[in-house]
Amino acid sequence: MPPGTTGPQDPAATRTGRRESAEERADRRWDDLLQEVRVAQTGSQILFGFLLSVVFMPRFAQLGDFDRGLYVVTVVLGALATGALAAPVSYHRLFAGHRLKPQLVDAAARLVVVGLVLLAFTVGSALLLLLRVATGSAAAAWIVAAVMAWFAACWLLLPLLHLRRHRDDRRDRDDRTDPTGPTDRGPVD
């Protein structure tokens, strides 16, 4: 195009989302979810495997009733976390061939969230058990509370703050380019 002339704008430059079919979006979301699950599953399985071996250690017999109970709770939480984080595989096998990929992704995503919450509680209770045995100090509970607050900040608060800031930035940018002025557009996806 000759200099100084105006032509149609590049649609890719002004577009703010993806142009994909529902099936393509479901495939992309499924791939993203699988990558996330791989990370969480590995941590969950390693922690759960370690927890299973603790009962066979000689020092386990010296634990008091509270610590033994805490161990049982920790192992059960670890089993539940591992089950929830492995559940997307089962869903995928059962849903395969039924043309339900969007429903599969939504259900699996919910299970992954449950699995992450259970994993956080597993880590917290395992840390409490470890610190109680290692230090015998009442400060163990305060340390675990601080670690759990850190998990909540890293896994929930920070992502929500970034999401909110991104949505606010997008709305501000849209309001500057919209000749009709600011409007309430609702949630941005």
Side-chain angles (χ1 to χ4, degrees):
M1 194 178 287
T5 61
T6 60
Q9 283 186 319
D10 177 14
T14 59
R15 191 171 62 221
T16 59
R18 297 174 190 247
R19 289 190 178 157
E20 55 190 6
S21 69
E23 293 83 13
E24 290 169 333
R25 183 171 193 260
D27 287 341
R28 178 182 52 81
R29 289 182 62 219
W30 178 250
D31 290 342
D32 291 347
L33 184 66
L34 286 181
Q35 292 300 325
E36 296 161 1
V37 167
R38 284 184 182 112
V39 172
Q41 271 182 342
T42 301
S44 173
Q45 290 168 346
I46 290 170
L47 178 58
F48 185 57
F50 168 76
L51 289 171
L52 291 176
S53 69
V54 168
V55 75
F56 299 106
M57 301 290 173
R59 187 155 180 205
F60 185 80
Q62 299 169 0
L63 293 180
D65 290 341
F66 179 82
D67 291 332
R68 283 178 187 250
L70 182 56
Y71 171 76
V72 169
V73 168
T74 304
V75 169
V76 169
L77 286 170
L80 294 172
T82 300
L85 292 170
V89 175
S90 175
Y91 261 78
H92 187 262
R93 282 298 92 220
L94 292 171
F95 277 46
H98 293 280
R99 298 180 182 242
L100 296 170
K101 184 67 96 42
Q103 293 85 350
L104 161 69
V105 174
D106 290 341
R110 283 187 211 98
L111 280 166
V112 169
V113 169
V114 169
L116 288 173
V117 169
L118 290 167
L119 180 58
F121 283 125
T122 304
V123 169
S125 62
L127 185 60
L128 180 59
L129 178 61
L130 178 112
L131 291 175
R132 282 181 49 83
V133 171
T135 67
S137 169
W142 290 104
I143 294 168
V144 171
V147 169
M148 296 307 291
W150 176 252
F151 271 41
C154 290
W155 290 12
L156 185 63
L157 183 61
L158 289 175
L160 289 175
L161 288 174
H162 281 103
L163 182 61
R164 181 177 179 190
R165 185 173 64 202
H166 174 71
R167 286 182 175 172
D168 290 346
D169 289 348
R170 184 183 285 178
R171 283 193 182 110
D172 290 345
R173 188 173 50 251
D174 290 347
D175 289 344
R176 285 193 304 270
T177 59
D178 185 359
T180 62
T183 59
D184 183 19
R185 291 180 180 78
V188 177
D189 184 22

